[in-house]
Amino acid sequence: MKKIAVVGYGVIGKRVANAINLQDDMKLSGVCDIISDWRIQNAVRKNYNIYAATQDAVDKMKSEGISVEGDLIELLKMSDLVIDCTPKKIAAQNVAIYKEKNIKFILQGGEKHETTGHSFSAESNYESAININATRVVSCNTTSILRTLTALKRANFLESARGTLLRRATDPWESHLGGIMNTMVPEKDIPSHQGPDAKSVDPELDVVTAAVKIPETLSHMHYWNVKLKKKVSKDEVLDAFKTSTRIKMIRYDQGLVSNNTIKEMFLDMGRPWGDMYEVALWEDMLKVQGDELFYAYVVDNQAIVIPETIDAIRALTGLEKNAQDSILKTNRTLGVLQN
Amino acid sequence: MKKIAVVGYGVIGKRVANAINLQDDMKLSGVCDIISDWRIQNAVRKNYNIYAATQDAVDKMKSEGISVEGDLIELLKMSDLVIDCTPKKIAAQNVAIYKEKNIKFILQGGEKHETTGHSFSAESNYESAININATRVVSCNTTSILRTLTALKRANFLESARGTLLRRATDPWESHLGGIMNTMVPEKDIPSHQGPDAKSVDPELDVVTAAVKIPETLSHMHYWNVKLKKKVSKDEVLDAFKTSTRIKMIRYDQGLVSNNTIKEMFLDMGRPWGDMYEVALWEDMLKVQGDELFYAYVVDNQAIVIPETIDAIRALTGLEKNAQDSILKTNRTLGVLQN
């Protein structure tokens, strides 16, 4: 039973903590943050061991009546591995502490590949992460790219892939951070960072992305144009995608016509926060034309990396040496939909 | 001096009427509609001759105190050519009347190519429209596709083009029609209709489009991935685009970072309704990689077809036999920005 610390109890951290609690081979040693408002109250309700990042934060939390176990250093002492889910750039600062305390650590996709020297996506490179000291679970968009392109690559169909990424403006609970309304805001650089980021996991991929921010908060949407190595049928492409256990084929003609209908379906299913761990790929929109493939899918930016993070824990701690065994165990515990 | 009737005084019709009034070789014979609310009051303010489509509409307008010249048939008698800007499908019904009255007519892009047998985009096929009886000015998205791809084709750079079209949800003045919020709604079919529609003007184009509706009302945005016939430099691509007088190169690093900043610039310039007749293409986002070209641009769906419609009038009436002469005259009168 490995003891796992979650540092940063925000959008990703609270989901990772929740997912760890669903596993039988690891336990949550505690969560650590600096906030003392309504957000940490969710950890209180769940009876997590709560730690504060700094002594100041310990004092602030105590003044708010929160029972605090100690500071970050004390949490690390109680843990075999730490998942850092703090906002972009802060994790990079925490890394010095993790290294000094000689504890294994997992960062999220907002950090640079160089910070850990290893980037992780379960279906692509689980084995290379076994027993190493640190990895970075790639971002939501990059995770979806790797799942889908790796499935095409396994079938030996993939020549090159060009994607347009329509990014949600901000997270649902946020009011302003990155929010936009009644406009679209492209990222200046082509390629956008997600294509090169996918190569940090699989350098062989020929992938170029362009990204644009959209005034909605639910999830991302990707449009892809893939050059195939050979002419294959639509059914063969669907079969290739189905070799991934984390791509859920959906049907437009079943009424799943938009980000919000997909979100509602996952809320209907009782998923925590309505989370969608799967890439939701439209089967009936997908088109093969000659040696080209066109398709679109939706990515839940808050949830897609959660199963990946659980797998990364198993790889780094050596809990499970077989990628597929870890993936299927994670899928089972989280209720990932199978095709 | 050719006398031009505008039937349908909505988003496109009011702009066409305004543009006709800026020309010295044609005059507006009148505008015709069925509405008698605030929208037609703009025609009253401009002292246009106002006609009503039906006798009922004549009576209704008169009851609202609007001075009405007569019905549609009477307007056609006073005109050499009619521009039908009525909503989708209604124009197709009006065509029977135009044919019976033996008057030349121009439809807008919502109608099918088969309705006229000719589809028009000034820089692509002006000559083929000279002195013919009817044409259809292709839609806003298709117009932008033709301008840009025709420019690449002229330079012999274009092999094939694949585009993702991010469509505005509804027009700025509408409250509900097609409106969506906090989501994205893809069109089910790939290719979406715009790619095939561009081939109605230029059958040689190898173009595939996919389209998705975005919760904003200002304009469309397109992302393109083009296969080039040969390796060329970014400067050569920019030079090719600049052979179109209706593509305006814009710079992200000049603060034009989104649909709304672009809109504000055209309002600053005093364009009527802040209209942008040009395709606004990001010069500093454009990327050449090997034999591939990536770029994005913005399309003002309310305005881009206005210069095309003026040119179509000149072609059908034989006012001008030379495409470039008509285009430059239209550009000058409308104040189209030159690179």
Side-chain angles (χ1 to χ4, degrees):
Chain A
M1 184 73 75
K2 295 290 181 181
K3 300 186 292 294
I4 314 297
V6 171
V7 175
Y9 193 69
V11 167
I12 299 295
K14 68 184 179 185
R15 287 173 166 83
V16 169
N18 190 68
I20 289 170
N21 267 343
L22 296 170
Q23 311 306 315
D24 63 9
D25 51 356
M26 59 187 80
K27 71 184 286 259
L28 184 68
S29 51
V31 299
C32 180
D33 209 299
I34 54 166
I35 50 163
S36 52
D37 65 10
W38 65 273
R39 290 169 290 177
I40 200 73
Q41 290 297 337
N42 188 46
V44 174
R45 275 192 297 272
K46 287 172 181 277
N47 292 315
Y48 294 162
N49 295 323
I50 297 171
Y51 292 80
T54 62
Q55 194 53 50
D56 278 357
V58 169
D59 297 341
K60 183 80 197 314
M61 280 194 196
K62 283 184 174 167
S63 75
E64 296 283 345
I66 298 160
S67 175
V68 187
E69 305 291 328
D71 65 10
L72 172 61
I73 305 299
E74 288 165 294
L75 173 59
L76 298 184
K77 280 182 202 155
M78 308 293 295
S79 310
D80 297 310
L81 180 147
V82 56
I83 317 278
D84 195 302
C85 307
T86 56
K88 216 167 169 173
K89 312 291 183 216
I90 295 181
Q93 299 166 22
N94 287 343
V95 161
I97 300 171
Y98 305 147
K99 284 182 172 168
E100 189 197 320
K101 298 296 172 188
N102 199 28
I103 187 169
K104 295 191 178 210
F105 59 94
I106 295 173
L107 307 185
Q108 294 295 321
E111 309 304 318
K112 286 190 192 308
H113 171 78
E114 293 69 32
T115 316
T116 59
H118 187 274
S119 293
F120 182 89
S121 189
E123 292 180 328
S124 299
N125 69 347
Y126 184 99
E127 285 81 0
S128 67
I130 292 171
N131 288 325
I132 66 174
N133 283 326
T135 191
R136 176 185 73 116
V137 173
V138 292
S139 73
C140 50
N141 282 310
T142 306
T143 296
S144 73
I145 293 169
L146 285 162
R147 284 188 195 165
T148 49
L149 297 187
T150 299
L152 295 174
K153 188 182 168 188
R154 267 195 301 269
N156 200 29
F157 291 169
L158 180 66
E159 178 79 32
S160 62
R162 305 294 179 248
T164 305
L165 279 47
L166 286 58
R167 304 181 61 188
R168 66 92 181 88
T170 191
D171 283 329
W173 78 273
E174 294 274 14
S175 306
H176 296 92
L177 189 64
I180 60 172
M181 61 183 284
N182 204 39
T183 191
M184 296 184 252
V185 185
E187 291 183 24
K188 185 184 171 191
D189 293 325
I190 299 176
S192 56
H193 72 275
Q194 298 88 357
D197 197 37
K199 295 184 199 177
S200 73
V201 170
D202 184 350
E204 288 177 6
L205 292 178
D206 180 350
V207 53
V208 176
T209 51
V212 52
K213 197 182 275 189
I214 304 296
E216 59 88 23
T217 64
L218 297 176
S219 43
H220 305 307
M221 191 181 289
H222 291 197
Y223 273 79
W224 286 91
N225 170 22
V226 165
K227 182 89 186 302
L228 299 165
K229 276 195 174 168
K230 48 190 166 188
K231 290 191 182 181
V232 293
S233 69
K234 175 169 176 167
D235 281 344
E236 288 174 292
V237 170
L238 293 177
D239 285 344
F241 278 138
K242 287 173 186 171
T243 63
S244 164
T245 63
R246 291 178 179 166
I247 300 172
K248 174 64 185 164
M249 309 310 293
I250 57 170
R251 296 191 61 89
Y252 197 97
D253 66 10
Q254 287 266 317
L256 294 169
V257 301
S258 57
N259 303 52
N260 60 313
T261 50
I262 293 167
K263 180 71 186 175
E264 190 70 9
M265 182 176 81
F266 282 87
L267 283 162
D268 281 354
M269 288 163 54
R271 288 270 180 97
W273 300 279
D275 281 355
M276 179 170 79
Y277 307 118
E278 303 85 349
V279 173
L281 194 154
W282 274 290
E283 181 177 333
D284 47 354
M285 200 188 301
L286 182 147
K287 176 90 176 176
V288 176
Q289 179 180 298
D291 61 355
E292 286 181 287
L293 166 64
F294 302 86
Y295 56 91
Y297 58 71
V298 168
V299 179
D300 183 340
N301 57 291
Q302 301 185 117
I304 190 176
V305 299
I306 305 306
E308 309 293 323
T309 301
I310 297 299
D311 291 328
I313 294 171
R314 289 210 183 86
L316 265 64
T317 58
L319 273 172
E320 177 57 66
K321 302 289 198 308
N322 183 286
Q324 201 61 12
D325 287 348
S326 175
I327 289 168
L328 292 179
K329 181 176 182 123
T330 304
N331 289 356
R332 204 167 52 241
T333 53
L334 298 186
V336 169
L337 296 178
Q338 303 303 303
N339 288 300
Chain B
M1 185 72 75
K2 296 290 180 181
K3 300 186 291 293
I4 313 298
V6 170
V7 174
Y9 192 69
V11 166
I12 300 295
K14 67 184 179 185
R15 287 173 166 82
V16 170
N18 189 68
I20 289 169
N21 268 343
L22 295 170
Q23 312 305 316
D24 63 8
D25 52 356
M26 59 187 81
K27 71 184 286 258
L28 185 68
S29 51
V31 301
C32 180
D33 209 299
I34 54 167
I35 50 164
S36 52
D37 64 10
W38 65 273
R39 291 169 289 177
I40 200 72
Q41 291 297 336
N42 189 47
V44 173
R45 275 191 298 273
K46 287 172 181 277
N47 292 314
Y48 294 161
N49 295 322
I50 297 171
Y51 292 79
T54 62
Q55 195 52 50
D56 278 357
V58 170
D59 297 342
K60 183 80 197 311
M61 280 194 196
K62 284 185 173 166
S63 76
E64 296 284 344
I66 298 160
S67 174
V68 187
E69 305 291 326
D71 65 10
L72 173 61
I73 305 301
E74 288 165 295
L75 173 59
L76 298 183
K77 281 182 201 154
M78 308 293 295
S79 310
D80 298 309
L81 179 147
V82 57
I83 317 278
D84 195 302
C85 307
T86 56
K88 215 167 169 173
K89 312 288 184 219
I90 295 181
Q93 300 167 21
N94 287 343
V95 162
I97 301 171
Y98 306 147
K99 284 183 173 168
E100 189 196 323
K101 298 296 172 188
N102 199 28
I103 187 169
K104 295 191 177 209
F105 60 94
I106 295 173
L107 307 184
Q108 294 294 322
E111 307 305 318
K112 286 190 192 308
H113 171 78
E114 292 69 31
T115 316
T116 58
H118 187 274
S119 293
F120 182 88
S121 189
E123 293 180 326
S124 300
N125 69 346
Y126 184 100
E127 284 81 1
S128 67
I130 292 170
N131 288 326
I132 66 175
N133 283 325
T135 192
R136 176 185 74 116
V137 173
V138 292
S139 73
C140 50
N141 283 309
T142 306
T143 296
S144 73
I145 293 169
L146 285 162
R147 284 189 195 165
T148 49
L149 297 187
T150 300
L152 294 174
K153 188 182 168 189
R154 267 195 301 269
N156 200 30
F157 292 169
L158 180 66
E159 178 79 32
S160 62
R162 305 294 178 248
T164 305
L165 279 48
L166 286 57
R167 304 181 61 189
R168 66 91 182 89
T170 191
D171 283 329
W173 78 273
E174 294 274 15
S175 307
H176 296 91
L177 189 64
I180 60 173
M181 62 183 285
N182 203 38
T183 190
M184 297 185 251
V185 185
E187 291 183 24
K188 185 185 171 189
D189 293 325
I190 300 176
S192 56
H193 72 276
Q194 298 88 356
D197 197 35
K199 295 184 199 176
S200 74
V201 170
D202 184 351
E204 288 177 7
L205 291 178
D206 180 351
V207 54
V208 176
T209 50
V212 52
K213 197 181 276 191
I214 304 295
E216 60 87 25
T217 64
L218 297 176
S219 44
H220 304 307
M221 191 181 288
H222 291 197
Y223 273 79
W224 287 91
N225 170 22
V226 165
K227 181 90 186 301
L228 299 165
K229 276 195 174 168
K230 49 190 166 189
K231 289 191 183 182
V232 293
S233 68
K234 175 169 177 169
D235 282 343
E236 287 174 292
V237 170
L238 293 177
D239 285 345
F241 278 138
K242 287 173 187 170
T243 63
S244 164
T245 63
R246 291 176 179 167
I247 299 172
K248 175 62 184 165
M249 309 309 295
I250 57 169
R251 296 192 61 90
Y252 198 97
D253 65 10
Q254 288 266 317
L256 293 169
V257 301
S258 57
N259 303 54
N260 61 313
T261 50
I262 293 167
K263 180 72 185 175
E264 191 70 9
M265 182 176 79
F266 282 87
L267 283 163
D268 280 354
M269 288 163 53
R271 287 273 180 95
W273 301 281
D275 281 356
M276 180 171 78
Y277 307 117
E278 303 84 350
V279 173
L281 195 154
W282 275 288
E283 182 177 332
D284 48 353
M285 200 188 301
L286 183 147
K287 175 91 176 175
V288 176
Q289 179 181 299
D291 62 354
E292 287 181 287
L293 166 65
F294 302 87
Y295 57 90
Y297 58 71
V298 168
V299 179
D300 183 340
N301 57 292
Q302 301 186 116
I304 190 176
V305 299
I306 305 306
E308 310 292 324
T309 302
I310 298 298
D311 290 329
I313 295 171
R314 289 211 183 84
L316 264 63
T317 58
L319 273 172
E320 177 56 64
K321 301 288 199 307
N322 183 285
Q324 201 61 10
D325 286 348
S326 175
I327 289 168
L328 292 178
K329 182 176 181 127
T330 305
N331 289 356
R332 204 166 51 242
T333 54
L334 298 185
V336 168
L337 296 179
Q338 303 303 301
N339 287 301

